Amino acid sequence: MEPPAPQRRVTIVDVARHAQVSTTAVSKVLRNAYGASPEMRTKVRRAIDELGYRPNAAARGLRGQTYTIGVMLPDIRNPFFPEILDGITGHLADTDYQVFLGPGGRNDEQAEARVTDAMIDRGMDGIILIAPVSSRARLEHIASAVPAVVVGRHGHSTVYDTVTDDDVAGAAMLVGHLVDLGHSRIAHIEHHESDPTRIAEMPNAQRAEGYRRAMRSLGLAEEIDIVSTSYTQQGGYEGATQLLARPRRPTAVFAGADIVAMGVLEALAEAGLSVPGDISVAGYDNTTFASFGPISLTSVDQAGREIGGNAARLLLERIADRRKAPVQVKLSPTLVPRRTTAPPPL
Amino acid sequence: MEPPAPQRRVTIVDVARHAQVSTTAVSKVLRNAYGASPEMRTKVRRAIDELGYRPNAAARGLRGQTYTIGVMLPDIRNPFFPEILDGITGHLADTDYQVFLGPGGRNDEQAEARVTDAMIDRGMDGIILIAPVSSRARLEHIASAVPAVVVGRHGHSTVYDTVTDDDVAGAAMLVGHLVDLGHSRIAHIEHHESDPTRIAEMPNAQRAEGYRRAMRSLGLAEEIDIVSTSYTQQGGYEGATQLLARPRRPTAVFAGADIVAMGVLEALAEAGLSVPGDISVAGYDNTTFASFGPISLTSVDQAGREIGGNAARLLLERIADRRKAPVQVKLSPTLVPRRTTAPPPL
DNA sequence: GTGAAAGCGCTAACAA
DNA sequence: TTGTTAGCGCTTTCAC
């Protein structure tokens, strides 16, 4: 039989009294700090276990750390994020840090501001921003308030670290793959970016740029054909519809993201075209969607776990030393050829 | 030109000084509490704006509330959760509460314990648990420490509120749909539940039970055929493989979740069977996967937004009055017939 | 190595 | 209506 749940939570004072030591001693043991003898440590640890003590994070945060890491996710529907998150939590599993996710809104700067402000207000020890859409200035503002790592933005900064995937290289690999198969009329569907100040930083722009460069270097400059919609299924559908209306139809479509490719596949199915018989389709991100057998979409894998792991590592380093030199990690993607790409029809 | 970022954050004392009032006054304005004249409010508000003051949540939490709601998500990959989350954040958008997600691990009681403990340690004002796998006792323990609402568990409790979807009814609708199409050999793939103490509470068990009852009441008791694997794509694949090995093959498969249906479709494609020509397939949850054109999976929609909205509402009510009578909300699912179900082959 | 005591920023009693 | 004051539970000097 358990006693009725105690009203008052066990505090550090209770532990100190129970172990017959000072609260300072308990605090030191909690933080693995210098200045406590082994005997003291065991004594305190036993008291903690016996009383079932758990430190109050709010109180800790008032003086020291909260042992909390915030991860801002712009869109929890994006099937690529779980991979990154696994990388982060995996790296943090053996530490005292706890991860909490703050839901932003897709393409919503205000929502991003709200959630990052909330993280700062709560004294989080560090923040990882996944593919934020906020302005450069805003990112620097956040990073000046709390250690921060930005994932998926290509610009450098003096205050935060970045982890990115080499989107230019990924796009080039995909184009190369299609050319190897014999394609030359290769179109690309990109995400329309309106803000000129951040355009170069966004992965979507990098993918389009990678496509352009690869086409040029393979002697296909004349065939460059970019449709600008959005990284959504709807965007893919619309983009494909536009491409199908071309007098000279492309024989392959490189969608900037898997979700875009889904829309493309849908439009092609409606148009009665077979994939890859009539037209090849490739995506980007290698989501579970892409690997799903009946779809089997050729895609580019971004090594999400590695991205997340690096982000967590850099963040811990920056928490340890806020003024360390900023680091930019750029990881290499891998091509994953599947059944939606094949030689063009004769 | 901005001055170099100030080292010290603006505190309530700064605001009080700037507005020439007491800190109490500022605190009252912050909380919209009783006892501050309109003039005082405007004066304080102006000072807050001028200084860019934001309250420190940790400090608030030490005495009062943290204005933080924790949502425990067992598996961020489940495409059904975003809907629930939208419902929650939508309901909370106009309040001072901020939502943070705690990533559990799928089917991992320890991970759930870690994240819920972390939420309690951080003084969160309330917790919403989405489809937890933890034991009943553990849920009650959590709810005794902090206002809690449990989503997707059918058991009643005296300390927490619940929001569920009527899984029995949903399964029955699906069976009815298949029978209407002319099927009688309808098999079901369920998630294997090992723990007898929570078996009746889990949605998967309810769906299986709904299937059984519907089959019986439609005079198909003899045809009841349940394969027990797991709610994963792999589970669907294995389940389908087992069913295809039957001497008398089913003409329709009711997968307990869309993700399971994906595995089924994959296995059928490999076996060279056409859907729905040779065999009908239905899922549950109406994920974006299901609605995706080329797949077009018949499924059951759980009204995720409504579930989330109700959970948030109940939680706010419970935060306002921790001892209010527990409420159980049970919502009705809707059948979404699509192209994977059709009359059986002749 | 150890502990006393001061405070982190806020809210809640209470007094004025 | 307003302000004064005492903590909330912890970490951090700084004596010893």
Side-chain angles (χ1 to χ4, degrees), chain B residues 12 24 27 31 53 56 60:
Chain B
I12 202 173
T24 309
S27 177
R31 292 173 291 119
Y53 166 75
N56 177 323
R60 300 182 93 170

Side-chain angles (χ1 to χ4, degrees), chain A residues 266-274 278:
Chain A
E266 193 157 8
L268 296 182
E270 283 185 16
L273 293 167
S274 85
D278 296 319

Side-chain angles (χ1 to χ4, degrees), chain A residues 12 27 31 53:
Chain A
I12 202 174
S27 177
R31 291 173 292 118
Y53 167 75

